[in-house]
Amino acid sequence: MENSSSCRRHTHDRHQTVALNASLEEWSRRYPGQVTAVHDFDADGLCAAALWKLRLGGSTQVVTGRQSLPNLQNPAQLVYLLDLSCPEKTFPWPSPTVVIDHHPLPQQPPPNTLLLHRHDRCTSWLTHELLWGEADSQHAWIAVLGILSDLGDSNPSQLLQSQLQRWGLNPLRQLTSLVNSAHRAAGDCDQALLALTLHDSPSQMLRSEHPSVVYLRDCQRKVRKRLGQAKQVPAVKRGQVALVQFSSDCPIQSVIAQIWKSRLADHVVVAANCRNDLAQVQVSARSRGSLDAIQILGQIGLTVRGHAQSAGAVLEPSEWEKFLEKFYAHSHKR
Ligand SMILES: [Mn+2]
C-alpha cells in the first residue's frame, strides 16, 4: 500500500480543468489495464457512467444504495468512482481509484486515490470535460441531462446553454425524467445506462422502440402513478421544518421534497418515505435561500448528508420514531 501522500488532490486552483486533465492522463498511462466504473443511480451518475463507457469501454457497476460501496468481484487495475463522494480512509477494493465528483471532499481520502473534483460542476459535466474535452462533443447532450437533473436549467454553463439551443428544453427534460425513472421506480438502472450509450441524439432516444427505452417508459408510468398518490399527502409544519410522510414502494421522496420546496420558501422540507418493503425510512431534505437543511435538521436530531439545500438519509424505523418524537417536542417550545 502506498501512503496517503500518493493521494493527489486538485481543487480550487486557477487552471482547474487543465490540471485535472493532466493528472488523469498521467494516471491512465500509469495504469493501462482494465477499468471499472462504480457509479451513482441518478441521472447525473448514469450520464457520467455513459460518457465514461463510451470513452473507455470498461465494465460498470451501479450502486443502488448510497450507504455503502460494493465489494467488487474482480477489481480492475483501475477503478473509477463517479458521483458517489469519496469515502474516508479506505475503499472496499485494493485497486487505485480515480474519483470524479462534486460532493464535499473527505478529511482523509484513501491512499492511492486521484481526486478529480469540482464543486461548481455536476459529475456528468465534469466527466464530459475530462474525457471528451471542453468543447461540445457529439455526446454533450448526455452530460446536459445530468446538469438538468442536478443543477437545473438556469445554470450559466456554456455546455448547457448551447445544448438547450440545439435540442430545446422540453426534449432534454423528458429524457432526464426518463433516465431518472429507473431508480425512482426501484427498477434496473443498467437499462438507462444502456439506452444512453445506444442512442446518438435526444430525438433518436425519445422516438426509440429499443427494449431499454420501452422499459424506461414503463418505469416512468409507474413513478407517475406513485407520485400522484404521494402528492395528496399534506405537509406538517413545525418551526422551520415541514414534514411530508408517506409510504411507497418507489423511492420518490426526492421528487416530493422538490415539489414542496417550491411551495414553501421559509421551511426545510423533509419528505420521508416509510419503505415497509425494506424496513427502512428514506428521507430527502430540500431547502431554499439561506436555509441550511443539514444544520437545521441536526438541531432536532436528524442527521442528513449531502449539500446544505439538498440532503438525505436512510433510517431504521426505530430511529425514525425517535426523530418524530423530537420533531413534535421541538414544536412545543416555540
Ligand atoms: Mn451528482
Side-chain angles (χ1 to χ4, degrees):
M1 289 288 268
E2 295 178 49
N3 65 36
S4 59
S5 66
S6 69
C7 168
R8 298 192 54 189
R9 176 188 289 237
H10 289 291
T11 186
H12 306 300
D13 63 42
R14 280 191 66 212
H15 306 286
Q16 287 190 16
T17 308
V18 178
L20 298 185
N21 258 313
S23 4
L24 181 56
E25 270 169 37
E26 190 208 309
W27 270 55
S28 313
R29 273 197 301 274
R30 210 194 296 173
Y31 304 105
Q34 274 203 326
V35 287
T36 293
V38 178
H39 62 91
D40 196 19
F41 54 70
D42 69 2
D44 189 30
L46 285 165
C47 290
L51 291 163
W52 180 92
K53 176 108 185 159
L54 286 164
R55 189 71 178 167
L56 301 178
S59 60
T60 59
Q61 186 167 334
V62 66
V63 168
T64 47
R66 287 176 177 142
Q67 303 308 298
S68 62
L69 292 171
N71 292 307
L72 298 178
Q73 290 306 314
N74 297 299
Q77 198 192 357
L78 186 59
V79 175
Y80 284 72
L81 190 67
L82 308 174
D83 200 34
L84 282 166
S85 309
C86 179
E88 295 284 348
K89 291 177 190 165
T90 54
F91 291 111
W93 51 76
S95 320
T97 303
V98 177
V99 174
I100 305 182
D101 192 54
H102 62 129
H103 297 93
L105 290 166
Q107 303 276 328
Q108 222 185 312
N112 220 3
T113 301
L114 176 64
L115 285 175
L116 303 174
H117 178 270
R118 286 194 65 153
H119 63 88
D120 59 349
R121 300 268 189 278
C122 63
T123 305
S124 63
W125 178 3
L126 183 55
T127 303
H128 183 265
E129 232 169 36
L130 292 168
L131 300 181
W132 292 94
E134 278 182 89
D136 290 18
S137 76
Q138 60 189 323
H139 304 299
W141 63 277
I142 298 177
V144 163
L145 304 184
I147 298 179
L148 287 175
S149 179
D150 263 32
L151 307 174
D153 59 20
S154 54
N155 189 281
S157 155
Q158 263 279 285
L159 184 75
L160 172 65
Q161 297 309 326
S162 70
Q163 292 296 307
L164 284 181
Q165 232 165 29
R166 176 155 186 204
W167 305 108
L169 177 58
N170 264 339
L172 293 172
R173 260 203 191 138
Q174 282 176 47
L175 284 180
T176 304
S177 153
L178 206 56
V179 170
N180 271 325
S181 65
H183 76 88
R184 284 178 187 154
D188 177 6
C189 292
D190 284 341
Q191 296 301 317
L193 179 55
L194 184 63
L196 287 167
T197 53
L198 283 179
H199 296 92
D200 295 328
S201 73
S203 43
Q204 193 199 34
M205 184 167 158
L206 274 176
R207 283 195 317 262
S208 175
E209 287 303 324
H210 187 271
S212 62
V213 180
V214 173
Y215 175 84
L216 292 177
R217 285 191 199 108
D218 286 343
C219 288
Q220 202 171 34
R221 269 190 288 276
K222 181 176 173 187
V223 171
R224 279 193 187 132
K225 204 168 157 188
R226 299 299 194 276
L227 277 175
Q229 294 157 352
K231 274 181 191 172
Q232 308 297 318
V233 178
V236 180
K237 290 189 220 166
R238 295 288 187 275
Q240 285 180 292
V241 180
L243 173 66
V244 185
Q245 198 180 188
F246 58 93
S247 184
S248 178
D249 60 349
C250 291
I252 49 173
Q253 57 280 352
S254 63
V255 186
I256 294 297
Q258 200 69 29
I259 290 168
W260 278 98
K261 185 189 92 167
S262 63
R263 296 177 190 163
L264 300 171
D266 305 323
H267 288 79
V268 173
V269 175
V270 176
N273 185 359
C274 303
R275 294 286 300 267
N276 299 326
D277 51 336
L278 302 174
Q280 58 180 215
V281 181
Q282 299 177 336
V283 174
S284 188
R286 293 288 186 281
S287 64
R288 291 208 288 192
S290 58
L291 287 179
D292 185 334
I294 296 176
Q295 195 210 336
I296 291 170
L297 296 175
Q299 285 168 359
I300 49 170
L302 180 59
T303 306
V304 289
R305 294 196 294 183
H307 305 277
Q309 302 196 338
S310 169
V314 177
L315 281 76
E316 286 183 19
S318 60
E319 294 175 301
W320 179 246
E321 288 301 322
K322 271 185 211 157
F323 163 73
L324 285 181
E325 273 172 36
K326 279 186 194 151
F327 174 72
Y328 288 111
H330 170 81
S331 67
H332 295 306
K333 290 180 200 148
R334 294 189 150 249

